[in-house]
Amino acid sequence: MRGLDEARVSEVIVRSYMNAFLDALNIDVAVIGAGPSGMTAAYYLAKRGVKTAIFERHIHVGGGMPGGGMMFPRIVIEEEAREITEEFEIHIEDFGDGYLVADAVEAVAMLCAKCLKSGARIFNMISVEDVVFRDGRICGVVLNWSAAERAKIHVDPLVVRSDVVIDATGHDAEICRIVERKISASLRTDTGGVIGERSMWAEMGEKALIENTREIFPGLIVAGMAANAVAGSPRMGAVFGGMFLSGKKAAEIAYDIVTRR
Ligand code: 48H
């Protein structure tokens, strides 16, 4: 390189991004949300050779994890999820009686790094505002710049085609709510629709989370806090083992669907 040419800087940035974005227009699995459950799911899928991309509204990744418990940036992880933290090389402090603690910032950094290294792509600053519904199943996502969403200006979206969509949008279960509102009031739940999460009961919330992680509508899997929101199960505070385990389970379900098709 002979000196820095400003226009060339712009050119390589735009070309690099556009190449990645063009490549992501047809994928196996679209994960919505780069929180702990979404990044875990993407990691395990990409590791098995599944073409996976995450779309994340915010500029940063990690969802609710970096805040830890009430801005004490530490998270509690149960013994059942120790193996996953080892896979992500997250350092664990053992306080006994099954209370494992991790640095929330380290957990986000390691998870994100492993996710990218496995081959999953993360597109930040992009919001999913709708899904593609065809022949009775979800088969893609409708995207827009988060900045346009925030500015409340109407900009027509672009679309990514995918065999499977994973709703890892956290407390609001945004994708399931879109499906309930626009396509079918009968998600595969006891009541048919999104019930909304219940008040804190950590142990129950963590147990229910794994059960609640499933294909909720043809082509749509729900993971993480969104799974408990859909099923009307409790929240659990800054306990994150379930988020990792839910992400891993979502990846297994998605893998089965993708390889069956
Ligand atoms: C693009 C979107 C959209 C959209 C949302 O909240 P998250 O961290 O979600 P989980 O389920 O992986 O983890 C939950 C955990 O962080 C948590 O909140 C816990 C344990 N709470 C317990 C308690 O008692 O409170 O991440 C979701 C991500 C965020 O980064 C959003 O910005 C993103 O999804 N997102 N991205 N398009 N429509 N909606």
Side-chain angles (χ1 to χ4, degrees):
M1 179 169 53
R2 271 183 281 118
L4 267 176
D5 179 82
E6 292 84 357
R8 182 95 173 106
V9 170
S10 305
E11 184 199 327
V12 294
I13 286 174
V14 173
R15 277 193 201 284
S16 169
Y17 187 84
M18 285 311 156
N19 288 341
F21 192 63
L22 284 170
D23 187 54
L25 292 184
N26 281 288
I27 51 179
D28 297 322
V29 181
V31 179
I32 321 309
S37 66
M39 286 199 288
T40 303
Y43 165 78
Y44 281 107
L45 283 163
K47 195 182 163 198
R48 295 175 87 178
V50 177
K51 193 172 177 189
T52 306
I54 303 181
F55 299 98
E56 166 54 52
R57 170 179 285 140
H58 282 298
I59 199 164
H60 60 81
V61 298
M65 195 155 65
M70 210 184 84
M71 291 197 214
F72 292 92
R74 297 290 182 276
I75 53 174
V76 167
I77 294 159
E78 305 93 313
E79 194 58 49
E80 293 88 322
R82 189 194 277 265
E83 210 180 298
I84 301 181
T85 60
E86 283 168 4
E87 176 97 10
F88 293 137
E89 297 177 65
I90 298 167
H91 174 255
I92 290 293
E93 212 179 336
D94 192 338
F95 280 82
D97 306 326
Y99 287 85
L100 310 176
V101 173
D103 180 314
V105 176
E106 183 196 340
V108 172
M110 296 309 289
L111 192 43
C112 181
K114 290 276 180 180
C115 191
L116 292 169
K117 292 284 178 207
S118 73
R121 286 226 161 96
I122 301 178
F123 294 93
N124 61 343
M125 300 179 276
I126 289 182
S127 292
V128 172
E129 61 171 48
D130 205 343
V131 294
V132 184
F133 175 65
R134 192 187 292 175
D135 299 330
R137 61 180 289 114
I138 307 297
C139 52
V141 285
V142 178
L143 308 175
N144 225 319
W145 298 115
S146 308
E149 180 186 59
R150 289 231 165 163
K152 297 193 192 319
I153 46 176
H154 177 79
V155 179
D156 276 328
L158 292 177
V159 171
V160 161
R161 196 212 59 78
S162 68
D163 284 344
V164 178
V165 172
I166 297 181
D167 181 347
T169 61
H171 292 266
D172 293 333
E174 285 193 29
I175 311 306
C176 291
R177 286 190 195 275
I178 289 169
V179 171
E180 181 187 32
R181 196 173 69 245
K182 292 194 172 188
I183 302 172
S184 163
S186 47
L187 296 171
R188 291 170 180 166
T189 62
D190 293 345
T191 60
V194 179
I195 300 170
E197 78 183 33
R198 294 293 188 241
S199 290
M200 179 87 75
W201 183 357
E203 193 168 344
M204 182 59 85
E206 285 289 269
K207 278 200 185 116
L209 182 50
I210 311 309
E211 194 74 14
N212 295 335
T213 302
R214 58 203 176 92
E215 190 182 15
I216 195 86
F217 190 83
L220 176 65
I221 295 165
V222 65
M225 204 57 221
N228 274 14
V230 168
S233 296
R235 64 191 301 188
M236 68 297 289
V239 182
F240 278 76
M243 297 302 147
F244 297 139
L245 291 163
S246 167
K248 190 173 182 194
K249 181 176 176 190
E252 280 155 13
I253 300 168
Y255 184 82
D256 285 348
I257 298 171
V258 167
T259 50
R260 255 198 342 254
R261 282 173 69 81

